[in-house]
Amino acid sequence: MKSSGQSQKEKPSKQRQTQPKISDHASMLAVAPPLANASTMTDASALDISAIIREVSKNIGEVMEQKLSKFSDTLDKITSRLDDQSKRIGEAEQRVSNVEDQLATMEQRLKEMEKCSAGMAQRLDDGENRSRRDNIRILNFKENAEGNNSIQFFESWLPTALGLSTAKGRIKIDRAHRSFGPKGNRPRPVIIKLHNSRDKMKILSAAKKAQNLEYAGSPIYIAQDLSLAVREKRRSFNDVCQKLLDKKIRFVMRYPARLVVNYRGSEHTFENAYEAQTFVDGSLE
């Protein structure tokens, strides 16, 4: 019986638990408004972010525009400088081209002048040698051996030393003097200008035939008086001439400086020592 009574008492309590209280409805009504406010806040936040993005985008755009404007100005300056440099380079190239053209003209003129100068030097040398055509040169004659009157001394000494037969035993001389230059260990050559051209050929022929021609114990050599350029060119043939002498081959030096070699019945003419040396080394056995 108690148990049934207790069960009956407990049922109302269960019914009370299933029915909501007024306070719970109030709580639910109190919670609902905040949900609507959160949505509004979310929309406001979205609006703020959009505004911030637009502001940031605007600022970035302005910064980029400023940077691009400066970059564009810099590019314009660089372009202007490049145009200026290109113009200057073009002008420099034109000047270089003009100079090259002038150089080509100058080179041509220089070649012509060199050719003209060489011709003038050759004519001058030829004129100098023609002015010496009546001269002879006496080598290794002791200094001051001729005394104070060199003309009178050589007029009588030459016929005597060479055994020439002349009128009155003398050879007429216009001038006689030592070559210019300081005195040294070797005597300066004596240059004699003969009055008659025929006497020169007689003296050179007699000097060539004479052996052991000397004066005061010193060997004497008599040769033509030629210009320095011709003497130097003839001197370049000395080694070749010595080899020809050793091989007993006839040769002659013709004016101004041409070596003529008579070998096996043929004459060979050489204008320079190298050609003559090559011929002697290769052809003469």
Side-chain angles (χ1 to χ4, degrees):
M1 290 297 289
K2 289 180 180 180
S3 59
S4 60
Q6 290 177 354
S7 61
Q8 288 179 358
K9 289 178 180 181
E10 290 177 357
K11 289 179 181 179
S13 62
K14 290 181 181 180
Q15 290 178 355
R16 285 194 301 268
Q17 290 178 358
T18 56
Q19 293 179 358
K21 295 180 179 181
I22 296 174
S23 61
D24 293 336
H25 287 289
S27 300
M28 291 176 64
L29 292 174
V31 173
L35 293 176
N37 292 335
S39 176
T40 304
M41 291 179 63
T42 303
D43 294 339
S45 299
L47 292 174
D48 293 340
I49 291 172
S50 298
I52 292 172
I53 291 174
R54 285 194 300 272
E55 185 68 21
V56 170
S57 299
K58 180 180 179 182
N59 294 336
I60 292 175
E62 292 177 354
V63 171
M64 290 295 293
E65 185 176 357
Q66 293 177 358
K67 295 295 183 180
L68 289 175
S69 177
K70 292 180 179 180
F71 184 69
S72 178
D73 293 340
T74 304
L75 284 179
D76 291 339
K77 292 179 181 179
I78 293 174
T79 302
S80 177
R81 291 180 180 179
L82 287 176
D83 291 339
D84 185 57
Q85 294 295 329
S86 178
K87 181 179 179 181
R88 291 183 179 182
I89 291 173
E91 293 175 353
E93 288 178 348
Q94 184 61 41
R95 289 196 294 270
V96 170
S97 178
N98 294 337
V99 170
E100 288 177 349
D101 294 339
Q102 292 177 0
L103 284 176
T105 303
M106 292 177 64
E107 286 179 357
Q108 183 63 30
R109 294 180 61 186
L110 181 60
K111 289 179 181 179
E112 293 176 358
M113 292 179 65
E114 287 178 347
K115 184 178 179 180
C116 180
S117 177
M120 292 177 62
Q122 186 177 1
R123 289 193 295 271
L124 181 63
D125 188 65
D126 182 68
E128 181 181 355
N129 285 294
R130 288 179 183 276
S131 69
R132 296 169 182 253
R133 63 182 179 272
D134 296 331
N135 294 0
I136 60 172
R137 182 179 287 252
I138 301 177
L139 307 175
N140 206 40
F141 203 89
K142 287 186 177 181
E143 292 279 349
N144 303 320
E146 65 275 20
N148 295 328
N149 194 334
S150 57
I151 293 177
Q152 184 177 357
F153 175 84
F154 286 109
E155 281 183 341
S156 59
W157 179 81
L158 283 170
T160 303
L162 298 174
L164 298 175
S165 59
T166 60
K168 301 179 182 181
R170 303 177 71 84
I171 291 179
K172 190 173 182 179
I173 295 175
D174 292 339
R175 291 190 300 272
H177 60 85
R178 295 278 178 174
S179 64
F180 298 106
K183 294 181 180 180
N185 296 329
R186 299 183 62 181
R188 292 173 298 170
V190 178
I191 299 173
I192 296 175
K193 186 181 186 307
L194 300 167
H195 185 74
N196 296 316
S197 300
R198 290 175 296 179
D199 290 338
K200 174 183 177 181
M201 301 309 299
K202 291 179 181 179
I203 292 172
L204 292 176
S205 179
K208 187 176 181 180
K209 294 176 182 178
Q211 294 181 355
N212 301 324
L213 183 63
E214 61 179 32
Y215 182 81
S218 298
I220 304 300
Y221 306 96
I222 301 177
Q224 298 183 71
D225 182 36
L226 301 169
S227 66
L228 178 61
V230 174
R231 293 201 308 272
E232 290 292 335
K233 190 172 182 180
R234 287 192 172 196
R235 193 175 293 117
S236 66
F237 287 94
N238 285 350
D239 293 340
V240 178
C241 292
Q242 186 60 50
K243 289 183 178 181
L244 294 172
L245 289 172
D246 294 340
K247 295 178 179 295
K248 297 180 180 181
I249 297 175
R250 295 179 60 185
F251 66 92
V252 63
M253 184 68 69
R254 292 179 180 171
Y255 179 82
R258 293 196 301 270
L259 180 66
V260 181
V261 179
N262 192 331
Y263 181 64
R264 293 182 179 178
S266 300
E267 285 190 352
H268 303 271
T269 304
F270 304 100
E271 298 289 342
N272 59 72
Y274 177 77
E275 293 177 356
Q277 187 70 50
T278 302
F279 173 77
V280 170
D281 294 339
S283 301
L284 304 183
E285 300 294 340

